[in-house]
Amino acid sequence: MSLMVNGELRDEWLEAEREQGAFVRKDSVFRNWITPDGRPGSTGEGDFKAEPGRYHLYVSHACPWSHRTVILRKLKRLEDVISMSVVHPHMGAKGWTFEPYPGATKDAVNGRHYLYEIYKLARPDYTGIVQVPVLWDKEQKTIVNNESSEIIRMFNSAFEDYTEARTDYYPQHLRNAIDEVNQLVYANVNNGVYRCGFASTQQAYEAAFDRLFETLGELDACLARQRYLVRSTLTEADWRLFVTLVRFDPVYYSHFKCNLGRIIDYPHLANYMRDLYQHFGVAETINFDHIKRHYYTSHDAINPNRIIPKGPAMDLWAPHNRGRFT
């Protein structure tokens, strides 16, 4: 990430997201919705109709928030409907770039070198964090949305006329339960690992650490009783948790000091993670080189020598026992 103030790039993005030593993630700024008919969504303005070839997704393979959107794009088989660019895994002083690197791409839509230039195209006086994912409208030449939780819901339902993948990951009858799980997982796990890693006081770190591992224990106990987080139905809540689980042992355990236990030490979470990894197309969305290279080389305050650990060994294709649930 990087920070812009009135359209000018700044390099103190992390300090801008700290309050009394605790990491506090700022809300996303662009909150428009793509809808089947172009009517306004729950926030923002209208005139963003779902159309094949009109929208472009900017992501990082390292970023768990981006990874949510890449998974839903894959599961809903929207690769030919929504194009995609992937940034370089290293995030330097000017933020994400489109420099050449295996698994990264050029910016084929706007021809820019830095992601912050995309934000400036959309809003020349933009103030806020420059983050991925970014959903871009090629027709209006602007950012539709940069909030991953909303982008995955657009992918889930807005493009039904252009895909044969009919699974609904946010079904109406389960929405209250999904929202409740999402709130717990986001606060204590998805964002919890960052609150550990980016804390600047011992008190803030330990508070986030305790909430993180208390919640992992609760989730492990839940998954001892049922296959997925919301009864027996695979929903967006599972994919939102998965993107953190799959990064936990390679990165968060050591780099963010989340070292009370690994995911492999939680038998139900570990089997659940393998179950999701082995789901149709999901393994193709994961690039561990990008994940490790980003975290261990981009956070100089945490890992100033930029040494990338070789481990751990992970066999995500190993058998799991989740099929026993009905």
Side-chain angles (χ1 to χ4, degrees):
M1 291 185 288
S2 51
L3 173 68
M4 294 180 74
V5 177
N6 295 325
E8 297 300 320
L9 191 66
R10 305 285 180 86
D11 60 3
E12 64 268 25
W13 69 268
L14 184 52
E15 289 307 315
E17 295 205 329
R18 280 196 175 125
E19 295 179 11
Q20 298 181 331
F23 176 71
V24 179
R25 190 176 297 276
K26 298 293 189 291
D27 290 339
S28 301
V29 172
F30 294 93
R31 306 296 288 273
N32 300 310
W33 285 72
I34 299 169
T35 58
D37 57 7
R39 294 180 184 178
S42 57
T43 58
E45 301 174 354
D47 204 24
F48 295 98
K49 183 180 179 181
E51 299 175 278
R54 175 173 171 176
Y55 299 100
H56 187 76
L57 183 65
Y58 290 102
V59 299
S60 162
H61 281 320
C63 170
W65 318 103
S66 285
H67 194 188
R68 301 173 174 185
T69 66
V70 176
I71 288 176
L72 263 292
R73 177 177 176 265
K74 169 67 72 173
L75 295 177
K76 297 297 291 189
R77 303 186 184 184
L78 296 174
E79 295 100 319
D80 294 332
V81 177
I82 300 165
S83 54
M84 187 173 80
S85 292
V86 180
V87 297
H88 189 287
H90 177 71
M91 185 183 65
K94 292 186 176 182
W96 299 109
T97 77
F98 297 99
E99 294 179 6
Y101 187 83
T105 69
K106 295 180 179 180
D107 174 12
V109 172
N110 291 300
R112 303 295 164 162
H113 187 73
Y114 294 102
L115 185 68
Y116 81 83
E117 296 175 305
I118 305 301
Y119 278 74
K120 197 161 185 172
L121 280 175
R123 189 175 297 177
D125 62 348
Y126 175 72
T127 293
I129 299 296
V130 177
Q131 63 190 34
V132 282
V134 171
L135 188 56
W136 177 264
D137 180 1
K138 301 175 189 176
E139 181 177 296
Q140 296 195 46
K141 300 187 185 305
T142 193
I143 295 173
V144 179
N145 196 296
N146 67 336
E147 169 52 56
S148 65
S149 63
E150 295 174 353
I151 294 173
I152 64 174
R153 290 186 181 173
M154 295 179 219
F155 288 179
N156 179 62
S157 61
F159 294 89
E160 294 298 272
D161 289 343
Y162 307 106
T163 178
E164 296 180 356
R166 290 288 181 260
T167 301
D168 183 359
Y169 296 97
Y170 191 53
Q172 184 71 43
H173 69 290
L174 294 178
R175 288 184 180 181
N176 288 340
I178 292 170
D179 291 343
E180 183 177 348
V181 171
N182 283 345
Q183 184 176 6
L184 174 73
V185 169
Y186 169 77
N188 299 328
V189 182
N190 296 144
N191 202 41
V193 294
Y194 286 88
R195 291 176 68 88
C196 290
F198 290 152
S200 60
T201 68
Q202 189 71 28
Q203 182 180 8
Y205 162 71
E206 291 187 6
F209 183 96
D210 291 345
R211 288 194 296 269
L212 168 63
F213 283 98
E214 179 182 356
T215 304
L216 288 177
E218 292 175 4
L219 294 172
D220 192 63
C222 169
L223 292 167
R225 304 186 297 269
Q226 58 196 52
R227 185 167 186 174
Y228 302 117
L229 293 178
V230 181
R231 306 175 195 172
S232 59
T233 303
L234 180 60
T235 71
E236 68 166 47
D238 298 293
W239 299 117
R240 287 172 54 134
L241 175 60
F242 172 76
V243 296
T244 299
L245 296 182
V246 80
R247 288 163 172 77
F248 198 97
D249 291 2
V251 173
Y252 303 142
Y253 177 85
S254 56
H255 186 60
F256 280 173
K257 304 179 183 69
C258 301
N259 61 350
L260 184 64
R262 303 162 299 167
I263 298 305
I264 199 172
D265 299 322
Y266 292 86
H268 308 295
L269 276 172
N271 275 304
Y272 165 83
M273 178 176 65
R274 290 197 297 273
D275 184 11
L276 296 179
Y277 179 85
Q278 295 169 25
H279 195 80
F280 163 81
V282 172
E284 301 170 22
T285 69
I286 301 173
N287 188 317
F288 281 111
D289 174 60
H290 280 226
I291 290 169
K292 293 172 69 175
R293 186 163 298 276
H294 165 67
Y295 283 98
Y296 288 110
T297 70
S298 300
H299 304 144
D300 291 348
I302 299 176
N303 188 29
N305 292 324
R306 298 181 178 179
I307 294 173
I308 303 172
K310 293 183 69 175
M314 297 173 64
D315 184 5
L316 293 173
W317 289 110
H320 60 79
N321 62 358
R322 309 302 294 170
R324 73 182 191 276
F325 294 104
T326 57

